[in-house]
Amino acid sequence: MADDSFIREVNEELRSDRAKAIWRRFGPLLIGGAVAIVLGTAATVGYQYWSESRASQSGDRFLAALDLARQGKNDEALAALGELEKDGYGAYPDLARMRAATLMFQKGDAAGAVSAFDAVAADNSVDASIRDMARLRAAFILIDTGSYDDVAKRVEPISSDGNPMRHSAREALGLAAWKAGRKDDAVRLFQQIADDNGAPADIRQRANMMLDLIRSSGAAAQG
């Protein structure tokens, strides 16, 4: 029994010494790893909070600018949007540019609005969907103030099959063609919309109305 007790004590000491040796060798790494995990988690949570806070602040500022515009305080709204464009967070600077261009148009500055929308559309740092929306907004202004070619230059690239904004692009092209006296082109474009089951219901309804209007005038070939 004494021998067994002695052997057990020796084994325990050996295990203890081995554990101490392992700890001396790897302990700092284990502690460092644990600390890194904790710090990494804290950093992630902190960044998420900071990001959400900044986005929330920018969102509040954007809504405040929209409120100013709704109150007819366009100059104040433009100033607020200009500041948000400079130091806003996330997509809000781009949305501020879009809204500012819209306010320019509402104030009667169609050329300035088109130029502002064109600047957004040409900015590769802006999300592609916002750039396409800027092209559309410029095109719809140019239906009244520009030529068919002006409209086509902006929206023909997004009027192809498969583009999610093709319906609005074709509508802009169709209206520009009708205004320019290119009634057969207008019929073709509006028919594309009417035949596209993926087109939103309101756009298809307007396309069918335009088709009825053009065809009832007898100015275009019957489809």
Side-chain angles (χ1 to χ4, degrees):
M1 292 294 294
D3 290 342
D4 291 342
S5 297
F6 175 74
I7 292 172
R8 282 198 300 273
E9 289 177 7
V10 170
N11 286 334
E12 288 173 2
E13 287 295 327
L14 288 173
R15 284 196 295 269
S16 177
D17 289 342
R18 187 177 299 114
K20 291 176 181 177
I22 291 173
W23 179 254
R24 284 194 298 269
R25 182 175 180 182
F26 297 107
L29 293 176
L30 294 173
I31 292 174
V35 170
I37 291 172
V38 172
L39 291 177
T41 302
T44 300
V45 172
Y47 175 77
Q48 289 175 344
Y49 173 79
W50 174 80
S51 179
E52 290 171 2
S53 176
R54 285 196 64 191
S56 177
Q57 291 173 4
S58 292
D60 290 343
R61 291 168 61 193
F62 185 69
L63 290 175
L66 295 186
D67 285 339
L68 289 171
R70 279 192 288 269
Q71 295 169 26
K73 301 176 180 179
N74 290 336
D75 290 336
E76 293 179 38
L78 284 169
L81 291 168
E83 290 300 316
L84 186 58
E85 180 184 338
K86 293 177 184 176
D87 58 16
Y89 185 72
Y92 285 106
D94 299 331
L95 295 177
R97 293 172 69 184
M98 293 286 288
R99 186 57 184 167
T102 299
L103 284 177
M104 288 181 195
F105 178 65
Q106 291 174 351
K107 290 182 64 177
D109 186 4
V114 169
S115 179
F117 283 125
D118 283 346
V120 174
D123 189 343
N124 290 327
S125 69
V126 176
D127 182 82
S129 61
I130 296 178
R131 295 174 65 196
D132 286 347
M133 186 61 67
R135 293 185 179 96
L136 281 170
R137 292 292 290 114
F140 274 103
I141 293 172
L142 288 166
I143 291 170
D144 286 330
T145 63
S147 66
Y148 175 85
D149 289 339
D150 291 331
V151 175
K153 176 183 176 181
R154 287 160 177 83
V155 295
E156 272 189 347
I158 59 174
S159 67
S160 58
D161 291 343
N163 191 295
M165 294 188 183
R166 65 187 181 277
H167 318 105
S168 294
R170 290 169 181 172
E171 184 175 27
L173 286 167
L175 291 170
W178 183 50
K179 180 193 171 192
R182 300 170 57 162
K183 294 184 173 63
D184 288 338
D185 288 335
V187 167
R188 174 180 56 80
L189 288 158
F190 287 125
Q191 192 66 56
Q192 282 183 313
I193 299 171
D195 293 341
D196 189 342
N197 292 328
D202 57 337
I203 297 181
R204 292 181 70 188
Q205 183 178 25
R206 290 197 297 271
N208 281 309
M209 289 176 59
M210 288 302 302
L211 287 170
D212 289 342
L213 175 63
I214 296 170
R215 286 168 174 161
S216 65
S217 71
Q222 298 295 311

